[in-house]
């Protein structure tokens, strides 16, 4: 009686074909952008909880605790007012310079703090990344949320300063909300960008403070933006599209009655602000997603 030889169906298949046949996938393989977005949304509670934990932990060793969320912006405002308001006499040329200065300072600090913290959001959490499987974008996004929470505390201080210095409450104050939301989206995109860059180049965290300080001087934080009008025409136009200058001017327009603005077209300010939020938000997310499989390795 003849016997029939059994043929192994896997015979002759390459490793890639074998993996596909048995439903095997590369460990840590980058998902599609849509799938990655879905997973990130599923981790929204983790992102919020992690952001809150970082905020509480950042002041856990200080005797005054989270009161420093208010004291820090107040102290910064006092120092800069002494230098630029009193010593350099900007107080004489700008109406309500105290409110003008603190508005620019608090708005800029929101982006600066987010970017500086975001640069180390991957490289500073390698233990967590290697121990758990989750969308890595959760870490830089939680950094943005933490800084947004600190911004809200700063806004309480800022509104108090604005009121004490004699600014009236008007309907324009409502414009502060969408302006801050646009800046938050912009910040999230930039933080995702520098998070991936920082994961590859550890020295970036040493360079970033100098870059942010230069950006501050080019954003009209500490002095009147009318000084930029002395620049050549092309340079003035370039400065007008500086995203942080745009968000600062939107906040100053909302809160201050006589704030000097470099761009007198409110419509253009909103369009540029929305454009930067869209470009940075989408571009930063895609750029970070493309490196998803690299984080925590090597």
């Amino acid at each position: 009686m003849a016997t029939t030889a059994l043929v192994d169906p896997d015979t002759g298949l390459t490793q890639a074909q074998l993996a596909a046949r048995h439903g095997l996938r590369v460990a840590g393989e980058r998902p599609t952008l849509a799938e990655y977005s879905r997973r990130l949304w599923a981790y929204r509670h983790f992102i919020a909880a992690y952001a809150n934990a970082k905020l509480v932990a950042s002041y856990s060793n200080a005797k005054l605790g989270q009161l420093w969320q208010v004291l820090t912006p107040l102290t910064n405002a006092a120092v800069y007012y002494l230098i630029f308001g009193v010593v350099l006499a900007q107080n004489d040329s700008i109406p309500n310079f105290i409110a003008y200065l603190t508005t620019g300072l608090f708005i800029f600090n929101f982006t600066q703090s987010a970017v500086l913290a975001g640069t180390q959001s991957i490289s500073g959490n390698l233990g967590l990344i290697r121990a758990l499987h989750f969308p890595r974008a959760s870490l830089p996004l939680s950094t943005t949320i933490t800084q947004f929470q600190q911004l809200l505390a700063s806004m309480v201080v800022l509104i108090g300063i604005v009121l004490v210095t004699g600014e009236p409450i008007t309907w324009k104050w409502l414009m502060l909300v969408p302006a801050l939301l646009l800046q938050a989206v912009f910040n999230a995109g930039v933080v995702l960008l520098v998070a991936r860059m920082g994961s590859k180049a550890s020295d970036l965290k040493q360079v970033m403070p100098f870059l942010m300080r230069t950006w501050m001087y080019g954003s009209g934080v500490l002095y009147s933006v009318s000084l930029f009008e002395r620049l050549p025409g092309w340079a003035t136009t370039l400065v007008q599209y500086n995203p942080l200058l745009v968000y600062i001017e939107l906040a100053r327009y909302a809160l201050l009655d006589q704030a000097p603005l470099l761009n007198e077209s409110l419509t253009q300010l909103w369009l540029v602000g929305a454009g930067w939020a869209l470009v940075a938000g989408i571009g930063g997310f895609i750029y970070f997603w493309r490196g998803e499989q690299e984080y925590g390795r090597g």
Side-chain angles (χ1 to χ4, degrees):
M1 182 176 180
T3 59
T4 302
L6 296 177
V7 178
D8 187 351
D10 293 339
T11 303
L13 298 181
T14 65
Q15 292 182 345
Q17 291 171 332
L18 284 171
R21 176 182 177 84
H22 294 282
L24 301 179
R25 304 178 71 104
V26 177
E29 182 183 28
R30 182 183 67 203
T32 64
L33 186 60
E35 174 62 18
Y36 189 70
S37 302
R38 187 193 66 78
R39 293 181 186 179
L40 194 60
W41 175 252
Y43 274 81
R44 62 190 183 278
H45 302 298
F46 165 76
I47 296 173
Y50 189 67
N52 291 332
K54 288 178 64 178
L55 180 63
V56 173
S58 62
Y59 297 104
S60 60
N61 294 326
K63 290 184 177 180
L64 297 180
Q66 295 192 32
L67 186 59
W68 280 108
Q69 293 185 63
V70 176
L71 294 179
T72 299
L74 274 177
T75 304
N76 287 334
V79 171
Y80 283 115
Y81 177 75
L82 176 63
I83 297 173
F84 289 89
V86 178
V87 177
L88 298 181
Q90 289 289 314
N91 195 30
D92 298 333
S93 59
I94 302 176
N96 198 357
F97 180 70
I98 296 178
Y100 181 90
L101 171 67
T102 51
T103 301
L105 187 62
F106 290 0
I107 296 299
F108 180 84
N109 190 65
F110 175 32
T111 296
Q112 177 176 249
S113 300
V115 171
L116 294 180
T119 303
Q120 304 180 64
S121 59
I122 296 298
S123 59
N125 291 284
L126 293 180
L128 180 62
I129 291 173
R130 290 167 179 167
L132 301 174
H133 180 70
F134 60 94
R136 307 315 188 195
S138 303
L139 297 176
L141 289 179
S142 67
T143 296
T144 306
I145 294 175
T146 298
Q147 298 305 323
F148 187 76
Q149 291 174 322
Q150 292 186 331
L151 173 71
L152 296 181
S154 297
M155 286 299 102
V156 174
V157 177
L158 177 59
I159 290 175
I161 292 173
V162 168
L163 289 174
V164 168
T165 54
E167 294 291 336
I169 299 177
T170 67
W171 65 269
K172 291 194 305 179
W173 283 35
L174 297 175
M175 299 173 64
L176 183 63
V177 176
L180 294 181
L181 291 178
L182 286 177
Q183 186 186 5
V185 175
F186 171 80
N187 286 359
V190 176
V191 167
L192 288 166
L193 175 71
V194 298
R196 182 180 176 185
M197 294 172 62
S199 69
K200 296 180 178 181
S202 58
D203 289 340
L204 183 63
K205 66 181 180 180
Q206 307 298 335
V207 178
M208 195 57 68
F210 299 99
L211 296 178
M212 294 305 302
R213 191 174 302 123
T214 302
W215 200 356
M216 180 178 69
Y217 293 141
S219 300
V221 176
L222 308 173
Y223 42 78
S224 175
V225 294
S226 61
L227 295 177
F228 291 127
E229 296 175 355
R230 303 175 185 177
L231 299 173
W234 64 267
T236 302
T237 302
L238 185 63
V239 169
Q240 287 179 332
Y241 287 92
N242 175 357
L244 286 186
L245 177 61
V246 169
Y247 296 129
I248 289 172
E249 289 206 304
L250 286 173
R252 283 172 173 164
Y253 178 84
L255 294 176
L256 309 180
D257 194 40
Q258 302 181 42
L261 300 178
L262 179 62
N263 191 332
E264 296 181 358
S265 173
L266 184 60
T267 301
Q268 182 176 344
L269 278 177
W270 283 110
L271 290 176
V272 174
W276 273 116
L278 188 65
V279 170
I282 296 177
F285 183 68
I286 293 176
Y287 177 75
F288 186 90
W289 160 75
R290 291 181 63 85
E292 177 71 11
Q293 72 277 12
E294 305 170 1
Y295 305 129
R297 298 188 177 184

